[in-house]
Amino acid sequence: MIREGKDNNRIPSGCAICGIFNKDGKRINGSGIISAIEIMHARSNGLGGGFAGYGIYPEYKDYYAFHIFYDDDRAKVCCEEYLNSHFDIANLSRIPTKKHPRIVNEPLIFRYFVLPKPANLISSQLDEQEYTSSCVTKINSDIDGAYVFSSGKDMGVFKAVGYPEDVGSFYRLDEYEAYCWTAHGRYPTNTPGWWGGAHPFSLLDCSIVHNGEISSYDANRRYIEMFGYKCSLLTDTEVIAYILDFLTRKTGLTYEEAASVIAAPFWSTIERKEQHEKEKLIYLRNTFSSLLITGPFSIIVGFKGGIMALNDRLKLRSMVVGEKGNTVYISSEESAIRKICKDLDRIYAPRGGEPVIYTLNGGECNAD
Amino acid sequence: MPINYIFPQFEILRDQTRCIKCRVCEKQCANEVHRYDEDYKMMIADESKCVNCHRCVALCPTSALRIIKNPHSFRENGNWTADTITDIYKQASTAGVLLSSMGNPMSFPVYWDKLVINASQVTNPSIDPLREPMETRTFLGQKKHVIKRDELGNIVPNLGPQLELSTPIMFSAMSYGSLSYNAHESLARAAQELGIMYNTGEGGLHEDFYRYGNNTIVQVASGRFGVHRDYLNAGAAVEIKMGQGAKPGIGGHLPGAKITEDVSKTRMIPVGTDAISPAPHHDIYSIEDLNQLVMSLKNATDFKKPVIVKIAAVHNVAAIASGIARSGADIIAIDGFRGGTGAAPVRIRDNVGIPIELALASVDTRLRNEGIRDNVSLVVGGSVRSSADVVKAIALGADAVYIATAALLALGCHLCRTCYSGKCNWGIATQREDLVKRLNPEVGYQRLVNLITAWTHEIKEMMGGMGINSIEALKGNRFMLRGIGLNQKELDILGVRHAGE
Amino acid sequence: MKKIKVNEKWCLGCHLCEYYCAFANSGIQDMVKALKDMKIQPRLRIEQNEKISFAVSCRHCEDPICVKSCISGALSIIDNVVSIDKNRCIGCYTCVLVCPYGAVMPSEEGAVRKCELCTGNSVSSPACVQGCPNKAIELVEV
């Protein structure tokens, strides 16, 4: 089985992405997103599919929901020992699944609702998020056979090796309700067999689905690894997730400011802006020059209370955004949006490099 | 002399059927090789004085001249080469230290030539530099990222002083004294037109060139030649020269013959005396002393100019760089063992120091491992010979490169390696008025502009091929390189994989 | 109107301009054939001492004394260039004497020679300008 990152395997791929966001926080089940991504079947080759849902665990919304793959029981025992010593576990169970003929070789898939043990948290002198993400990183790198693939509050990632519509059916996503869904179908150029390599990639409550192949990968990786991140999967999605986590959580930029770092406007565009804006953009681009992402990408970022869609500056991958009432649809292809919402108030293709951000509290930032 | 141990290295071949006896070769050779013989009625040459600078060949209107290596030879010997034997004859005769100029000519491996570059295909499109923006703008300086906001929540830019370059190439340090006034004028004007920097070297800054200050890096070397407050504030940045690649461990050397009135005034030393810089800065014996000097220079320039520390690439360059990165310096310049010089002892130039490719890779890796790569920008030189070398240097981790030999070649240098004699026939490395005249800055600066413009265009083509449209995304992007014919250790140090992987 | 401008600051006294001029006006394709074992007949000349050197050539004056002094009408202004009609010149050398710049010189062919801005030969722009290795000679618009 080829596994991302192991033996320095780097697996570039082409893909399909999709997202649905309800600005008023209304929660809908996963059948819509599955239907949308299904129509883009030809953009995948069955070697990876996944979803992220936000607002799916209202009863446990203050707990971190860990979704974990285990290769075998031994890994599970080892991991649970670690979890028990670092977290208080409110609930643990297998993630409910439904057998599907095309989804095979499934690992053990478990879910835990946890909070850091107060005594540990205090003695570590870290904030809750930093504590949790360090523990997740530790499990993923040190406990063989265990992989935490989702670790946010009131949200969850569901992924596997298979077509996304099959993966959605396998995880019974029609039984979950979320105000924000993202989805991904993968077309890798190698044949990975490991479920952990599918998208979305997530860290705490930030999840990323990505279509593209970034040419700046190694420049970005070698920079972001200075700040405690380890790009063990060697995938573009992983490094993008770490970059956004670093810029928003650790450095304190807004998602809009982070977008002007990773998809910084061309110098000629910056020249034409007014003075303050110009100085800010030059400052951001210069300070974080190693976090500029070049090469085609179109990403949908889910985070608590919001969603962001962004294309590279040359718009080398497709992306359209549709609006109907309080619902926003984002997709690689218009057909996927039309499948679930025939008539839209508005549909447009965002400009390359300009972020499209929607949040629950009504704040909007979009390109038109 | 009764016994000729040293035989002429070159032979001058003149096609007498082509020679029209215009005597340009005679007029233009400062070494007095050619002359017209009245009796034979033809041009003859004394090859013992020839240094192979090609001035006569280049100017001959009928292309009648060729210079070849003198085929006179010793018995073939893989160990005792002709050069090695001749060096001993010279030293037996003079008891002197062998001196030479320019960079290490020995056949050590050139790692640039063992690295190949990627191109995007199929999964990721290449970008067309003719039709899409392709950005080479580079900023050098510290990049601390502590976000400051005003009361309204807007970001307030708070980076320290930066150098802005239109392309990641700068002209490296070559002193006024080792180079002529006209050579400096050409470099300064070219730097200004291109939007890059040139470096004064350790000879101080001539008062005529203060007007190019925005494109000048002023150097403070161990001899402190020409260093005064106005000098420090005249440039866009201040460079402390701790060492240079051509001669790590020793200081600069300018023979007295090249110290004319003007050079003496700029350097603030007496006319005609050899200017031999001390080996260390006598106020910097340790890393904490360097820290103090960096702070004094910043204070003297009101913290408005970035401070560069230039070091030679030696064995523990990574550790040294790590120390410098924590000393408050904004930029580290590393000079590899192929770096050129006006004058250096041959044994030091040829045997001391390490290749820049390896030094760069290990410094970049070490700084990233320690999480301090952001504290400084890295500039490398010694020797960068083409735009491909520039691309590879940036991919290994450099922010920008310094070029010197390449710039001199653009000005007309033919690498004859006799700069120390002060008789440069191309008007570059001399102070003799009649020779300096030969370098017209109108011509010189244009050739430098042409060179850098051509290289920048080539860099854009290679970037586009890799699917990169902004140079920042190439910095440290080692995946874009593969090695060929390198052993595992070399691949590990360079941090690249072998071609095919 | 274009004229030759010489900057003595850059003149190296190498005399290449004289050779290229002589070649360009020789009417022969091959430089060796044109100039070997000949006394060259350039239309400009280098004046020099130890300290300074520069090329002297016809200034193509607006009111040329040489034209006024020419007794056979061989010298005239054609398109702002003072030109010689060799067939009319009788070799009296009055023009050589009167030119204040010494720009007119006797020629081996009996007529006189002077710079005609390479209008009468096969090169497209003045050979001295192209041939000067240090850009001491330029063609400028006045």
Side-chain angles (χ1 to χ4, degrees), chain A residues 10 213 215 218 222-223 252 257 267 283 285-286 296 313, chain B residues 123 135 143 149 158 162 364 374 467 469-470 472 476-477 479:
Chain A
R10 181 158 148 70
E213 181 178 317
S215 49
D218 216 30
R222 296 183 67 242
Y223 183 81
E257 289 161 349
W267 294 119
Y283 166 74
R285 185 165 169 182
N286 185 11
R313 300 173 298 176
Chain B
T123 52
E135 303 180 305
K143 316 262 197 250
R149 293 185 192 270
N158 64 347
Q162 306 278 306
D364 179 70
D374 254 357
N469 53 11
S470 293
E472 302 95 300
N477 195 340
F479 260 22

PDB file of all heavy atoms in Angstrom, chain A residues 10 213 215 218 222-223 252 257 267 283 285-286 296 313, chain B residues 123 135 143 149 158 162 364 374 467 469-470 472 476-477 479:
ATOM      1  N   ARG A  10       5.418  11.417  -2.871  1.00  0.00           N
ATOM      2  CA  ARG A  10       4.601  12.607  -3.048  1.00  0.00           C
ATOM      3  C   ARG A  10       3.640  12.307  -4.177  1.00  0.00           C
ATOM      4  O   ARG A  10       4.052  11.912  -5.258  1.00  0.00           O
ATOM      5  CB  ARG A  10       5.516  13.782  -3.387  1.00  0.00           C
ATOM      6  CG  ARG A  10       4.770  15.062  -3.556  1.00  0.00           C
ATOM      7  CD  ARG A  10       5.671  16.267  -3.368  1.00  0.00           C
ATOM      8  NE  ARG A  10       5.243  17.384  -4.191  1.00  0.00           N
ATOM      9  CZ  ARG A  10       4.150  18.090  -3.995  1.00  0.00           C
ATOM     10  NH1 ARG A  10       3.355  17.814  -2.998  1.00  0.00           N
ATOM     11  NH2 ARG A  10       3.841  19.085  -4.795  1.00  0.00           N
ATOM     12  N   GLU A 213      -2.122  21.589  -7.998  1.00  0.00           N
ATOM     13  CA  GLU A 213      -0.787  21.079  -7.678  1.00  0.00           C
ATOM     14  C   GLU A 213       0.112  22.295  -7.551  1.00  0.00           C
ATOM     15  O   GLU A 213       0.413  22.952  -8.544  1.00  0.00           O
ATOM     16  CB  GLU A 213      -0.292  20.168  -8.791  1.00  0.00           C
ATOM     17  CG  GLU A 213       1.083  19.605  -8.469  1.00  0.00           C
ATOM     18  CD  GLU A 213       1.573  18.662  -9.541  1.00  0.00           C
ATOM     19  OE1 GLU A 213       0.758  17.845 -10.014  1.00  0.00           O
ATOM     20  OE2 GLU A 213       2.738  18.746  -9.925  1.00  0.00           O
ATOM     21  N   SER A 215       3.256  24.641  -7.253  1.00  0.00           N
ATOM     22  CA  SER A 215       4.674  24.561  -7.630  1.00  0.00           C
ATOM     23  C   SER A 215       5.563  25.086  -6.513  1.00  0.00           C
ATOM     24  O   SER A 215       6.758  24.840  -6.490  1.00  0.00           O
ATOM     25  CB  SER A 215       4.913  25.358  -8.910  1.00  0.00           C
ATOM     26  OG  SER A 215       4.329  26.639  -8.801  1.00  0.00           O
ATOM     27  N   ASP A 218       7.672  22.968  -1.955  1.00  0.00           N
ATOM     28  CA  ASP A 218       8.815  22.779  -1.067  1.00  0.00           C
ATOM     29  C   ASP A 218       9.255  24.082  -0.406  1.00  0.00           C
ATOM     30  O   ASP A 218       9.770  24.076   0.712  1.00  0.00           O
ATOM     31  CB  ASP A 218       9.976  22.137  -1.832  1.00  0.00           C
ATOM     32  CG  ASP A 218      10.764  21.163  -0.963  1.00  0.00           C
ATOM     33  OD1 ASP A 218      10.140  20.563  -0.054  1.00  0.00           O
ATOM     34  OD2 ASP A 218      11.971  21.000  -1.173  1.00  0.00           O
ATOM     35  N   ARG A 222       9.289  24.056   3.630  1.00  0.00           N
ATOM     36  CA  ARG A 222      10.519  24.264   4.395  1.00  0.00           C
ATOM     37  C   ARG A 222      10.410  25.505   5.264  1.00  0.00           C
ATOM     38  O   ARG A 222      11.158  25.664   6.216  1.00  0.00           O
ATOM     39  CB  ARG A 222      11.724  24.326   3.454  1.00  0.00           C
ATOM     40  CG  ARG A 222      11.917  23.002   2.730  1.00  0.00           C
ATOM     41  CD  ARG A 222      13.137  22.961   1.829  1.00  0.00           C
ATOM     42  NE  ARG A 222      14.333  23.031   2.621  1.00  0.00           N
ATOM     43  CZ  ARG A 222      15.223  24.001   2.539  1.00  0.00           C
ATOM     44  NH1 ARG A 222      15.049  24.992   1.700  1.00  0.00           N
ATOM     45  NH2 ARG A 222      16.290  23.998   3.302  1.00  0.00           N
ATOM     46  N   TYR A 223       9.479  26.380   4.954  1.00  0.00           N
ATOM     47  CA  TYR A 223       9.281  27.544   5.808  1.00  0.00           C
ATOM     48  C   TYR A 223       8.353  27.212   6.961  1.00  0.00           C
ATOM     49  O   TYR A 223       8.662  27.489   8.121  1.00  0.00           O
ATOM     50  CB  TYR A 223       8.712  28.702   4.979  1.00  0.00           C
ATOM     51  CG  TYR A 223       8.539  29.967   5.773  1.00  0.00           C
ATOM     52  CD1 TYR A 223       9.622  30.806   6.012  1.00  0.00           C
ATOM     53  CD2 TYR A 223       7.298  30.315   6.302  1.00  0.00           C
ATOM     54  CE1 TYR A 223       9.462  31.963   6.750  1.00  0.00           C
ATOM     55  CE2 TYR A 223       7.145  31.469   7.045  1.00  0.00           C
ATOM     56  CZ  TYR A 223       8.227  32.292   7.268  1.00  0.00           C
ATOM     57  OH  TYR A 223       8.074  33.440   7.999  1.00  0.00           O
ATOM     58  N   GLY A 252      -2.462  35.683  13.969  1.00  0.00           N
ATOM     59  CA  GLY A 252      -3.560  36.600  14.253  1.00  0.00           C
ATOM     60  C   GLY A 252      -4.080  37.360  13.043  1.00  0.00           C
ATOM     61  O   GLY A 252      -4.678  38.424  13.185  1.00  0.00           O
ATOM     62  N   GLU A 257      -6.956  38.623   5.238  1.00  0.00           N
ATOM     63  CA  GLU A 257      -5.538  38.993   5.208  1.00  0.00           C
ATOM     64  C   GLU A 257      -4.691  37.778   4.844  1.00  0.00           C
ATOM     65  O   GLU A 257      -3.719  37.893   4.097  1.00  0.00           O
ATOM     66  CB  GLU A 257      -5.100  39.556   6.569  1.00  0.00           C
ATOM     67  CG  GLU A 257      -5.675  40.942   6.847  1.00  0.00           C
ATOM     68  CD  GLU A 257      -5.639  41.319   8.326  1.00  0.00           C
ATOM     69  OE1 GLU A 257      -5.365  40.450   9.173  1.00  0.00           O
ATOM     70  OE2 GLU A 257      -5.906  42.489   8.619  1.00  0.00           O
ATOM     71  N   TRP A 267       2.606  42.563  -8.164  1.00  0.00           N
ATOM     72  CA  TRP A 267       3.141  43.879  -7.814  1.00  0.00           C
ATOM     73  C   TRP A 267       2.461  44.967  -8.634  1.00  0.00           C
ATOM     74  O   TRP A 267       2.169  46.054  -8.130  1.00  0.00           O
ATOM     75  CB  TRP A 267       4.649  43.943  -8.056  1.00  0.00           C
ATOM     76  CG  TRP A 267       5.463  43.059  -7.167  1.00  0.00           C
ATOM     77  CD1 TRP A 267       6.278  42.033  -7.544  1.00  0.00           C
ATOM     78  CD2 TRP A 267       5.558  43.112  -5.738  1.00  0.00           C
ATOM     79  NE1 TRP A 267       6.864  41.446  -6.461  1.00  0.00           N
ATOM     80  CE2 TRP A 267       6.448  42.079  -5.336  1.00  0.00           C
ATOM     81  CE3 TRP A 267       4.988  43.924  -4.752  1.00  0.00           C
ATOM     82  CZ2 TRP A 267       6.770  41.847  -3.997  1.00  0.00           C
ATOM     83  CZ3 TRP A 267       5.313  43.676  -3.422  1.00  0.00           C
ATOM     84  CH2 TRP A 267       6.193  42.655  -3.060  1.00  0.00           C
ATOM     85  N   TYR A 283       3.642  45.033   2.772  1.00  0.00           N
ATOM     86  CA  TYR A 283       4.113  44.509   4.053  1.00  0.00           C
ATOM     87  C   TYR A 283       3.787  43.029   4.210  1.00  0.00           C
ATOM     88  O   TYR A 283       4.636  42.213   4.545  1.00  0.00           O
ATOM     89  CB  TYR A 283       3.467  45.320   5.187  1.00  0.00           C
ATOM     90  CG  TYR A 283       3.599  44.691   6.544  1.00  0.00           C
ATOM     91  CD1 TYR A 283       4.817  44.695   7.220  1.00  0.00           C
ATOM     92  CD2 TYR A 283       2.515  44.080   7.154  1.00  0.00           C
ATOM     93  CE1 TYR A 283       4.945  44.113   8.466  1.00  0.00           C
ATOM     94  CE2 TYR A 283       2.630  43.490   8.396  1.00  0.00           C
ATOM     95  CZ  TYR A 283       3.847  43.510   9.053  1.00  0.00           C
ATOM     96  OH  TYR A 283       3.960  42.920  10.278  1.00  0.00           O
ATOM     97  N   ARG A 285       2.981  40.814   1.876  1.00  0.00           N
ATOM     98  CA  ARG A 285       3.647  39.967   0.878  1.00  0.00           C
ATOM     99  C   ARG A 285       5.130  39.805   1.187  1.00  0.00           C
ATOM    100  O   ARG A 285       5.695  38.727   1.023  1.00  0.00           O
ATOM    101  CB  ARG A 285       3.464  40.582  -0.511  1.00  0.00           C
ATOM    102  CG  ARG A 285       4.018  39.674  -1.572  1.00  0.00           C
ATOM    103  CD  ARG A 285       3.566  40.033  -2.957  1.00  0.00           C
ATOM    104  NE  ARG A 285       4.390  39.225  -3.862  1.00  0.00           N
ATOM    105  CZ  ARG A 285       4.339  39.259  -5.171  1.00  0.00           C
ATOM    106  NH1 ARG A 285       3.478  40.055  -5.765  1.00  0.00           N
ATOM    107  NH2 ARG A 285       5.116  38.496  -5.895  1.00  0.00           N
ATOM    108  N   ASN A 286       5.759  40.868   1.652  1.00  0.00           N
ATOM    109  CA  ASN A 286       7.185  40.803   1.961  1.00  0.00           C
ATOM    110  C   ASN A 286       7.448  39.986   3.232  1.00  0.00           C
ATOM    111  O   ASN A 286       8.319  39.128   3.266  1.00  0.00           O
ATOM    112  CB  ASN A 286       7.730  42.235   2.111  1.00  0.00           C
ATOM    113  CG  ASN A 286       9.219  42.242   2.315  1.00  0.00           C
ATOM    114  OD1 ASN A 286       9.901  41.231   2.145  1.00  0.00           O
ATOM    115  ND2 ASN A 286       9.757  43.380   2.673  1.00  0.00           N
ATOM    116  N   PRO A 296      -1.362  26.038  -9.850  1.00  0.00           N
ATOM    117  CA  PRO A 296      -2.819  26.047  -9.828  1.00  0.00           C
ATOM    118  C   PRO A 296      -3.381  25.538  -8.505  1.00  0.00           C
ATOM    119  O   PRO A 296      -2.886  24.546  -7.974  1.00  0.00           O
ATOM    120  CB  PRO A 296      -3.208  25.093 -10.954  1.00  0.00           C
ATOM    121  CG  PRO A 296      -2.002  24.334 -11.289  1.00  0.00           C
ATOM    122  CD  PRO A 296      -0.816  25.045 -10.785  1.00  0.00           C
ATOM    123  N   ARG A 313      -3.765  33.032  -8.386  1.00  0.00           N
ATOM    124  CA  ARG A 313      -3.882  34.320  -9.049  1.00  0.00           C
ATOM    125  C   ARG A 313      -4.140  34.229 -10.543  1.00  0.00           C
ATOM    126  O   ARG A 313      -4.657  35.154 -11.144  1.00  0.00           O
ATOM    127  CB  ARG A 313      -2.606  35.143  -8.832  1.00  0.00           C
ATOM    128  CG  ARG A 313      -2.347  35.392  -7.380  1.00  0.00           C
ATOM    129  CD  ARG A 313      -1.018  36.042  -7.167  1.00  0.00           C
ATOM    130  NE  ARG A 313       0.089  35.244  -7.611  1.00  0.00           N
ATOM    131  CZ  ARG A 313       1.335  35.692  -7.577  1.00  0.00           C
ATOM    132  NH1 ARG A 313       1.591  36.901  -7.152  1.00  0.00           N
ATOM    133  NH2 ARG A 313       2.314  34.923  -7.995  1.00  0.00           N
TER     134      ARG A 313
ATOM    135  N   THR B 123       0.157  17.554 -15.053  1.00  0.00           N
ATOM    136  CA  THR B 123      -0.601  17.720 -13.810  1.00  0.00           C
ATOM    137  C   THR B 123      -0.627  19.171 -13.343  1.00  0.00           C
ATOM    138  O   THR B 123      -1.383  19.559 -12.486  1.00  0.00           O
ATOM    139  CB  THR B 123       0.021  16.879 -12.674  1.00  0.00           C
ATOM    140  OG1 THR B 123       1.408  17.186 -12.615  1.00  0.00           O
ATOM    141  CG2 THR B 123      -0.169  15.411 -12.939  1.00  0.00           C
ATOM    142  N   GLU B 135       7.192  37.602 -11.871  1.00  0.00           N
ATOM    143  CA  GLU B 135       7.730  38.610 -10.963  1.00  0.00           C
ATOM    144  C   GLU B 135       9.061  38.207 -10.354  1.00  0.00           C
ATOM    145  O   GLU B 135       9.188  37.142  -9.759  1.00  0.00           O
ATOM    146  CB  GLU B 135       6.724  38.869  -9.847  1.00  0.00           C
ATOM    147  CG  GLU B 135       5.373  39.290 -10.394  1.00  0.00           C
ATOM    148  CD  GLU B 135       4.382  39.542  -9.288  1.00  0.00           C
ATOM    149  OE1 GLU B 135       4.187  38.631  -8.463  1.00  0.00           O
ATOM    150  OE2 GLU B 135       3.839  40.638  -9.222  1.00  0.00           O
ATOM    151  N   LYS B 143      12.584  39.567   8.504  1.00  0.00           N
ATOM    152  CA  LYS B 143      11.140  39.433   8.301  1.00  0.00           C
ATOM    153  C   LYS B 143      10.461  38.957   9.581  1.00  0.00           C
ATOM    154  O   LYS B 143       9.822  37.925   9.622  1.00  0.00           O
ATOM    155  CB  LYS B 143      10.843  38.425   7.193  1.00  0.00           C
ATOM    156  CG  LYS B 143      11.705  38.560   5.987  1.00  0.00           C
ATOM    157  CD  LYS B 143      11.025  39.335   4.887  1.00  0.00           C
ATOM    158  CE  LYS B 143      11.745  39.084   3.582  1.00  0.00           C
ATOM    159  NZ  LYS B 143      12.468  40.234   3.119  1.00  0.00           N
ATOM    160  N   ARG B 149      -1.425  46.335  15.058  1.00  0.00           N
ATOM    161  CA  ARG B 149      -2.643  46.938  14.532  1.00  0.00           C
ATOM    162  C   ARG B 149      -2.934  48.257  15.207  1.00  0.00           C
ATOM    163  O   ARG B 149      -2.599  48.459  16.367  1.00  0.00           O
ATOM    164  CB  ARG B 149      -3.829  45.996  14.752  1.00  0.00           C
ATOM    165  CG  ARG B 149      -3.754  44.719  13.928  1.00  0.00           C
ATOM    166  CD  ARG B 149      -5.009  43.872  14.100  1.00  0.00           C
ATOM    167  NE  ARG B 149      -4.812  42.553  13.550  1.00  0.00           N
ATOM    168  CZ  ARG B 149      -5.070  42.216  12.290  1.00  0.00           C
ATOM    169  NH1 ARG B 149      -5.550  43.112  11.454  1.00  0.00           N
ATOM    170  NH2 ARG B 149      -4.856  40.970  11.866  1.00  0.00           N
ATOM    171  N   ASN B 158       5.357  47.086  10.094  1.00  0.00           N
ATOM    172  CA  ASN B 158       6.419  47.366  11.072  1.00  0.00           C
ATOM    173  C   ASN B 158       7.687  46.574  10.816  1.00  0.00           C
ATOM    174  O   ASN B 158       8.383  46.173  11.742  1.00  0.00           O
ATOM    175  CB  ASN B 158       5.892  47.054  12.484  1.00  0.00           C
ATOM    176  CG  ASN B 158       5.584  45.571  12.635  1.00  0.00           C
ATOM    177  OD1 ASN B 158       5.529  44.834  11.659  1.00  0.00           O
ATOM    178  ND2 ASN B 158       5.403  45.120  13.856  1.00  0.00           N
ATOM    179  N   GLN B 162      14.511  47.511   4.628  1.00  0.00           N
ATOM    180  CA  GLN B 162      14.625  46.478   3.599  1.00  0.00           C
ATOM    181  C   GLN B 162      15.359  47.046   2.386  1.00  0.00           C
ATOM    182  O   GLN B 162      15.339  48.242   2.142  1.00  0.00           O
ATOM    183  CB  GLN B 162      13.229  46.034   3.126  1.00  0.00           C
ATOM    184  CG  GLN B 162      12.281  45.590   4.226  1.00  0.00           C
ATOM    185  CD  GLN B 162      12.521  44.158   4.639  1.00  0.00           C
ATOM    186  OE1 GLN B 162      12.513  43.257   3.819  1.00  0.00           O
ATOM    187  NE2 GLN B 162      12.709  43.934   5.925  1.00  0.00           N
ATOM    188  N   ASP B 364      21.232  27.348   4.883  1.00  0.00           N
ATOM    189  CA  ASP B 364      19.783  27.470   4.788  1.00  0.00           C
ATOM    190  C   ASP B 364      19.089  26.407   5.633  1.00  0.00           C
ATOM    191  O   ASP B 364      18.149  26.685   6.381  1.00  0.00           O
ATOM    192  CB  ASP B 364      19.358  27.350   3.317  1.00  0.00           C
ATOM    193  CG  ASP B 364      17.860  27.443   3.142  1.00  0.00           C
ATOM    194  OD1 ASP B 364      17.315  28.539   3.333  1.00  0.00           O
ATOM    195  OD2 ASP B 364      17.235  26.422   2.819  1.00  0.00           O
ATOM    196  N   ASP B 374      14.068  33.342   9.122  1.00  0.00           N
ATOM    197  CA  ASP B 374      13.414  34.635   8.916  1.00  0.00           C
ATOM    198  C   ASP B 374      14.206  35.827   9.431  1.00  0.00           C
ATOM    199  O   ASP B 374      13.908  36.968   9.076  1.00  0.00           O
ATOM    200  CB  ASP B 374      12.098  34.637   9.685  1.00  0.00           C
ATOM    201  CG  ASP B 374      10.946  34.514   8.756  1.00  0.00           C
ATOM    202  OD1 ASP B 374      11.194  34.481   7.538  1.00  0.00           O
ATOM    203  OD2 ASP B 374       9.821  34.457   9.246  1.00  0.00           O
ATOM    204  N   GLY B 467       6.285  26.517 -13.615  1.00  0.00           N
ATOM    205  CA  GLY B 467       4.949  26.822 -13.121  1.00  0.00           C
ATOM    206  C   GLY B 467       4.967  27.812 -11.969  1.00  0.00           C
ATOM    207  O   GLY B 467       4.049  27.884 -11.179  1.00  0.00           O
ATOM    208  N   ASN B 469       5.288  31.860 -10.866  1.00  0.00           N
ATOM    209  CA  ASN B 469       5.259  33.191 -11.451  1.00  0.00           C
ATOM    210  C   ASN B 469       5.728  34.287 -10.500  1.00  0.00           C
ATOM    211  O   ASN B 469       5.663  35.462 -10.842  1.00  0.00           O
ATOM    212  CB  ASN B 469       3.876  33.516 -12.030  1.00  0.00           C
ATOM    213  CG  ASN B 469       2.775  33.310 -11.024  1.00  0.00           C
ATOM    214  OD1 ASN B 469       3.023  33.120  -9.838  1.00  0.00           O
ATOM    215  ND2 ASN B 469       1.544  33.310 -11.487  1.00  0.00           N
ATOM    216  N   SER B 470       6.189  33.915  -9.329  1.00  0.00           N
ATOM    217  CA  SER B 470       6.795  34.906  -8.438  1.00  0.00           C
ATOM    218  C   SER B 470       8.020  34.277  -7.808  1.00  0.00           C
ATOM    219  O   SER B 470       7.953  33.165  -7.301  1.00  0.00           O
ATOM    220  CB  SER B 470       5.835  35.317  -7.328  1.00  0.00           C
ATOM    221  OG  SER B 470       4.745  36.010  -7.847  1.00  0.00           O
ATOM    222  N   GLU B 472       9.490  34.515  -5.094  1.00  0.00           N
ATOM    223  CA  GLU B 472       9.436  34.054  -3.698  1.00  0.00           C
ATOM    224  C   GLU B 472       9.137  32.564  -3.610  1.00  0.00           C
ATOM    225  O   GLU B 472       9.561  31.877  -2.676  1.00  0.00           O
ATOM    226  CB  GLU B 472       8.306  34.724  -2.895  1.00  0.00           C
ATOM    227  CG  GLU B 472       8.297  36.206  -2.795  1.00  0.00           C
ATOM    228  CD  GLU B 472       7.429  36.879  -3.811  1.00  0.00           C
ATOM    229  OE1 GLU B 472       7.694  36.700  -5.011  1.00  0.00           O
ATOM    230  OE2 GLU B 472       6.511  37.600  -3.420  1.00  0.00           O
ATOM    231  N   GLY B 476      14.203  28.325  -1.721  1.00  0.00           N
ATOM    232  CA  GLY B 476      14.257  27.158  -0.850  1.00  0.00           C
ATOM    233  C   GLY B 476      13.442  25.993  -1.352  1.00  0.00           C
ATOM    234  O   GLY B 476      13.254  25.001  -0.652  1.00  0.00           O
ATOM    235  N   ASN B 477      12.963  26.095  -2.594  1.00  0.00           N
ATOM    236  CA  ASN B 477      12.083  25.078  -3.159  1.00  0.00           C
ATOM    237  C   ASN B 477      12.927  23.964  -3.758  1.00  0.00           C
ATOM    238  O   ASN B 477      13.047  23.830  -4.973  1.00  0.00           O
ATOM    239  CB  ASN B 477      11.203  25.751  -4.216  1.00  0.00           C
ATOM    240  CG  ASN B 477      10.018  24.914  -4.621  1.00  0.00           C
ATOM    241  OD1 ASN B 477      10.005  23.699  -4.427  1.00  0.00           O
ATOM    242  ND2 ASN B 477       9.034  25.561  -5.188  1.00  0.00           N
ATOM    243  N   PHE B 479      12.616  20.844  -4.097  1.00  0.00           N
ATOM    244  CA  PHE B 479      11.971  19.844  -4.951  1.00  0.00           C
ATOM    245  C   PHE B 479      12.166  20.159  -6.421  1.00  0.00           C
ATOM    246  O   PHE B 479      12.003  19.286  -7.267  1.00  0.00           O
ATOM    247  CB  PHE B 479      10.449  19.835  -4.681  1.00  0.00           C
ATOM    248  CG  PHE B 479      10.011  18.732  -3.775  1.00  0.00           C
ATOM    249  CD1 PHE B 479      10.902  18.123  -2.906  1.00  0.00           C
ATOM    250  CD2 PHE B 479       8.698  18.286  -3.793  1.00  0.00           C
ATOM    251  CE1 PHE B 479      10.499  17.115  -2.055  1.00  0.00           C
ATOM    252  CE2 PHE B 479       8.284  17.276  -2.946  1.00  0.00           C
ATOM    253  CZ  PHE B 479       9.170  16.686  -2.085  1.00  0.00           C
TER     254      PHE B 479
END
